[in-house]
């Protein structure tokens, strides 16, 4: 991240958060899910990343970072056509975001 911010790249920090759980994705499945319990601070950007100045923090409420956010608009207004993705939930969050980016061109 340091290399990107030092070069003036547009760096987006994506976090998952919820006000009351009602704004989160609720896929219809045969599986009965109990309401999740979120520990204190679960949705905060870790201090090692939050310390970087000039980053854009985006809050998402579903698997991908594009749907329901202004990420596409932010990238298009800056003329950004190439993105680098990384994250902690590669098979869901990062993968879905990559597929959404591809669909949006």
């Amino acid at each position: 991240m340091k290399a990107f911010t030092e070069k003036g790249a547009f760096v987006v920090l994506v976090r998952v958060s919820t006000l009351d759980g009602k704004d989160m994705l609720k896929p219809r499945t045969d599986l009965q899910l109990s309401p999740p319990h979120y520990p204190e601070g679960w949705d905060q950007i870790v201090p090692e990343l939050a310390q970087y100045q000039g980053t854009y923090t985006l809050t998402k409420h579903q698997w991908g970072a594009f749907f329901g956010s202004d990420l596409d608009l932010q990238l298009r207004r800056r003329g950004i056509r190439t993105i680098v993705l990384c994250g902690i939930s590669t098979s869901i969050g990062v993968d879905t975001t990559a597929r959404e980016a591809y669909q949006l061109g």
Side-chain angles (χ1 to χ4, degrees):
M1 187 150 131
K2 182 178 178 183
F4 285 95
T5 56
E6 285 178 349
K7 298 287 184 189
F10 181 60
V11 174
V12 180
L13 300 175
V14 179
R15 70 186 190 116
V16 179
S17 189
T18 182
L19 174 64
D20 55 9
K22 294 178 182 175
D23 56 351
M24 297 297 279
L25 180 68
K26 294 173 191 71
R28 293 176 190 241
T29 67
D30 293 337
L31 183 64
Q32 292 289 345
L33 298 174
S34 351
H37 170 73
Y38 301 109
E40 182 73 28
W42 73 276
D43 59 351
Q44 300 302 307
I45 302 289
V46 295
E48 295 83 359
L49 296 179
Q51 71 177 338
Y52 288 93
Q53 300 297 309
T55 61
Y56 183 73
T57 300
L58 177 109
T59 301
K60 69 176 189 165
H61 305 280
Q62 61 286 323
W63 295 337
F66 282 94
F67 184 80
S69 78
D70 69 341
L71 181 55
D72 184 48
L73 177 67
Q74 294 294 333
L75 296 173
R76 288 184 192 279
R77 287 191 173 169
R78 289 171 171 79
I80 297 171
R81 298 188 57 195
T82 302
I83 59 175
V84 176
L85 298 173
C86 61
I88 59 170
S89 183
T90 307
S91 64
I92 297 176
V94 177
D95 179 68
T96 302
T97 299
R99 290 172 189 270
E100 289 174 341
Y102 181 78
Q103 282 184 275
L104 293 167

